[in-house]
Every structure is written in structure tokens, then in C-alpha cells.
Amino acid sequence: MPSITSHDAWFAGLKALANDDFPKRCRNCGRVFASEGDYFQQTQAIRPEITGLKAVVDEDGPLVEVFRNCVCGSTLLVNCISRRDDSAAGHSRRRLFDELLGYLVRHGIDRAQARIELLRVVAGERSEVLEAWYAQIAARGAKPED
Ligand SMILES: [Zn+2]
């Protein structure tokens, strides 16, 4: 796992992290969701007032579970980062999360806040806060040389 040193690498890592659980297949009807965007578009909230998003952060690392209903009515769970996932993919995903987090912290972002916003993106939501930070860091890094 290369260390993240530039804002471009960070952004690429963020995209990889967000897409890691896809494609996802409904075990009931066989429908395939290609990306997190696809998943959120084609599935429905279990109840309108509930996002279905459960983000937990503890000493073992981040965990995000996203519950949505498939068009067939079956409830789907997307595990974006699971601390129970001991596979190589699970480990590299957690490492990537830490890399992304570390990069933000090195650029002066509050760690707890950064975690919350990263978890949002991991779960397929859009984080305007994260996008604003990204723009700030990018602008700082792109100083003209004179
Ligand atoms: Zn289905």
C-alpha cells in the first residue's frame, strides 16, 4: 500500500474506498448494483425518515452498514468497511481508510470530524464538507513557483 502524499492520490484513494463493496448482487432477485450510486438510486429507504446508514467507529476501526430495500422488497446490507472482515481486501480497505484519514489530519483537519465525513463517503453519501477540504488542500498545494 503506497503512502498517500498528494491530493490527487488521496482523491483516487477515496474513490477506491467508496467503490470497494461493489458490484453488489441481491441474493433474492439477482439484481446487480454496479456502484454505490447505482445502489442508492435503485434501492429504497426502508422507512422514508431513516437513512439506513449506520456508522460506528471504535478501537477496531471504522464500520459502516447501509440497509436499503431492493426493488424486489428484499432488504440489502452493504458492509462498506467491516472490522469482522479478515480477508486481504478487508485489511487493505481499513489501511486505505487510515491513509485517507491521516492525510486529512496532516493537513490540519480535526480527526473526529474527518472520520465522520470519510464514513459518509464510504457509505455512498456525498460529503460537501469533504469536498471543501479537498478543494482547500488542492489550492494550497498548487502554489505558483516563483
Ligand atoms: Zn432484489
Side-chain angles (χ1 to χ4, degrees), residues 8 18 23 28 31 52 56 70 85 92 100 111 123 125 132 135 139 142:
D8 284 332
N28 187 47
R31 181 178 281 262
V56 181
C70 181
D85 185 354
S92 73
L100 293 170
R111 178 176 286 270
E125 289 192 355

Side-chain angles (χ1 to χ4, degrees), residues 25-31 33 69-76:
R25 192 169 173 277
C26 173
R27 275 191 216 150
N28 187 47
C29 71
R31 181 178 281 262
F33 304 95
N69 278 345
C70 181
V71 285
C72 71
S74 166
T75 298
L76 297 173

